[in-house]
Structure formats: structure tokens, C-alpha cells
Amino acid sequence: MDAQELLQRYESGQRDFQGINLMGANLASANLSDINLTDAYLGAVDLSRANLHGADLSRAFLFRANLSTAKVNAANLTETDLTKANLKGAEFIKANLTNAKLSGACLSYVNLRQANLQGVNLCGANLQEINFRGANLQNVNFSWANLSGARLSGANLRGANLNGIKLCEAFMNGVDLQGADLDGVDLSEAKLSGANLNDAILTVANLSYSQLRTSMLSRANLQAANLEGSNMMRVGLVEANLSKANLADTNLQEADLTGATLNQADLAGARLQLASLRNAYLWGANFTVLGLEGANLAGANFRGARQDGVQWHQALLAKTTLPDGKVTA
């Protein structure tokens, strides 16, 4: 069967083409919605601009196929081989790509909103500005992938491998990354408002100028992380490790740093109005902050901290250890 015969049969109402061999066929711009191409051999086929809405492509062989700008929404691509396929600008909204093979595929500007990619290997992939909003990315291997500018709000990233990933300028509001290993990851200028990062590993991570408003980072390990200029208003950092972290010019207004460790951290120019640092440790920290109005420093330890120009009277001091070692009443 060739492309012309397939199109004629489809036009007459046939939809079942399981196991068909159309290697290298030209089906550009074809309307093939709801077609059944399970186990089909479609290597190097041209499906650019094609309509494959609701199609069943499970276990199909699409090695080096061209699906650029195709509409593959709500399609079944379970275990489909898309190795080195061109998917640039294609739509896979609500598609099922569970365990699909995407090694070497071109995924630039692909729309995978609410798609299921559970267990997919995207190691080292270029995923810049890709749309993963609300997608199921559970157990996906993203190691060393470039997700700069990607849209990930509402995505499920449970169990995903994020080793060496690049997420600068990514949209990640409300994502659940509890306990995730993000050691050394670039999250500069990322949007993480309302995200769950409790117990996450963010050592040496770059979060400079990121938006973390109301996010949860309790018990997170942020040792030596760069948070310069970030917005951390009302963030939860209870018992977080911020030793040697760069918090210069950070907005920490109303943040909860109860029991946090900030030894040798740099808080130059930070805003701490109405923040809680109860029982926090700030030994040797640079505490030349801009504002302390209404901050709770009860039980905090500032031994050896730099305090040039600090207006201690603006904050609540109760059994607070000051830089010179004196303890307030």
C-alpha cells in the first residue's frame, strides 16, 4: 500500500491500518484524525502539518519521521519510537507518550500541555521554551537537559531525574519538587512562586533573581546557593540550611526562617521586615540588612556577624545573642 491508497481508503471510511508499512511516504498536511496506526512502520514518513488528533500510534516506528507542526492532540503514542524525529512546533496536547522513545528528537517549541510522558528518557534533550503545563512527567529522565524558558506550571515531576538540568527563566509556579535533588541546578530568574521545595537539595544551586514568593523550602538544603536579588516574600524556610548562601538584596519580608542555619551567609541589603528568625543561627554572617522592622529575632544567634548600621531596636529581641556575644534579656 502507498500513501495515495491509504488516503483513498481513509476517505471511504476505513480507520484501521494496524501494522502498515509506509516507510518514507509523503503524508504532509493529511487529515488522519482517529486513524489506527498501531505497530505501523512509518520511518522517515512526512507527516508535517498533518492532523492526527485522536490517532493510535502505539508501538509505531517513526524513526526520523517529520511531524513538524502536526496536530497530534489526544493521540496514543505509548511505546512509540520517535527516535531522531522532527517534532518542531507540533501539538501533543493531552497525548499519551508513556515510555515513548524520543532520543535525538527535535522538540523545539512543542506543545505537550497535559500530556503523559511518564518514564520517557529525555537525557540531554534541548527543551527550550517547551510547554509542559500540567503534564505528567513522573520518572522522566531530564538529566543534562536544557529546559530554559520551559513552561512547567502544574506539572508532575515526582521521581524525575533532574541531574545537571538547566531551568533558567522556566515557569514553575506551584510545582511539587518536594525532596528533589537539584544540586547545582541553574534556576536563575525562574518563576517558582507557591512551589513545594520542602526537603529539596539545592546546594550550590543558582536561584538568583528568581521568584519564590510563598514557596515552601522547609528543611531544604541551600548551602552555598546563590539567591541574590530573589523574591522570597512569605517563603517558608523553617530549619533550612542556608550556610554560606548568597542572600544579598533578597526580599525576605514575612519569611519564616525559624530554626534556619545561616552561618556565614551574605544578607547584605536583604529586607527582613516582619520575618521570623527565631532560634536561627547566623554565626559570622554578613547581616548588613536594609530593614528589620517587626522581625522576630528571639533566640537567634548572631555571634561574630557583621552588623554595620543594623537597627536592632526595630526587631523583637529576646535571649538573642548579638555579634559581640552579649545575650539580650
Side-chain angles (χ1 to χ4, degrees):
M1 185 186 299
D2 59 14
Q4 189 62 35
E5 184 180 347
L6 178 139
L7 292 172
Q8 289 174 350
R9 291 191 183 186
Y10 181 90
E11 187 66 25
S12 65
Q14 184 177 342
R15 295 293 181 268
D16 190 356
F17 297 91
Q18 293 186 59
I20 194 172
N21 188 339
L22 282 171
M23 301 281 281
N26 183 0
L27 291 164
S29 302
N31 178 15
L32 299 169
S33 60
D34 297 315
I35 193 170
N36 183 358
L37 289 165
T38 303
D39 297 312
Y41 292 89
L42 302 166
V45 69
D46 187 357
L47 285 160
S48 58
R49 303 180 302 282
N51 178 11
L52 290 158
H53 184 279
D56 191 344
L57 289 152
S58 54
R59 299 184 303 280
F61 181 75
L62 283 151
F63 181 84
R64 290 190 182 277
N66 182 5
L67 285 93
S68 58
T69 67
K71 310 295 183 186
V72 201
N73 302 324
N76 182 6
L77 294 106
T78 304
E79 298 182 16
T80 301
D81 190 344
L82 289 156
T83 303
K84 296 187 178 181
N86 180 6
L87 308 177
K88 185 176 181 179
E91 290 185 4
F92 289 87
I93 299 169
K94 296 184 179 180
N96 185 0
L97 289 110
T98 303
N99 294 320
K101 297 176 183 177
L102 289 158
S103 179
C106 175
L107 292 156
S108 301
Y109 308 107
V110 174
N111 189 343
L112 286 151
R113 178 166 53 87
Q114 294 183 296
N116 184 0
L117 289 100
Q118 187 169 350
V120 169
N121 183 5
L122 290 167
C123 178
N126 183 2
L127 304 168
Q128 293 184 73
E129 300 186 23
I130 199 166
N131 189 347
F132 277 132
R133 290 186 187 274
N136 181 5
L137 304 171
Q138 193 169 3
N139 300 319
V140 170
N141 182 5
F142 281 116
S143 56
W144 306 107
N146 185 354
L147 281 130
S148 299
R151 288 154 176 78
L152 290 150
S153 299
N156 178 5
L157 286 153
R158 287 278 185 172
N161 184 346
L162 305 171
N163 181 48
I165 197 171
K166 189 173 184 180
L167 287 160
C168 58
E169 300 182 16
F171 296 81
M172 304 175 72
N173 296 323
V175 296
D176 185 358
L177 285 166
Q178 183 171 357
D181 188 348
L182 293 159
D183 174 61
V185 168
D186 185 357
L187 286 150
S188 56
E189 300 185 58
K191 311 296 187 294
L192 285 153
S193 296
N196 180 2
L197 289 156
N198 288 337
D199 303 298
I201 301 170
L202 287 152
T203 47
V204 204
N206 183 3
L207 288 142
S208 58
Y209 303 100
S210 59
Q211 295 292 324
L212 286 153
R213 188 184 176 104
T214 69
S215 58
M216 297 173 284
L217 285 146
S218 293
R219 298 170 305 281
N221 189 348
L222 288 146
Q223 187 172 8
N226 183 5
L227 292 145
E228 182 178 4
S230 59
N231 183 357
M232 303 183 77
M233 188 173 184
R234 297 197 187 109
V235 71
L237 284 157
V238 175
E239 297 180 3
N241 182 0
L242 289 149
S243 297
K244 298 182 179 180
N246 181 3
L247 292 155
D249 302 316
T250 299
N251 181 4
L252 285 160
Q253 296 178 74
E254 301 180 59
D256 190 354
L257 290 132
T258 302
T261 301
L262 295 112
N263 297 333
Q264 299 181 53
D266 186 359
L267 289 122
R271 286 166 285 167
L272 285 157
Q273 290 91 341
L274 300 176
S276 172
L277 285 98
R278 290 183 301 109
N279 301 319
Y281 296 88
L282 295 105
W283 299 347
N286 182 355
F287 200 65
T288 54
V289 296
L290 281 182
L292 274 174
E293 295 90 342
N296 186 348
L297 308 182
N301 193 324
F302 292 90
R303 186 180 294 274
R306 183 177 173 183
Q307 58 169 336
D308 302 348
V310 176
Q311 304 294 313
W312 296 100
H313 64 276
Q314 297 176 336
L316 170 65
L317 304 177
K319 296 184 179 179
T320 305
T321 303
L322 297 176
D324 59 7
K326 293 181 180 178
V327 181
T328 65

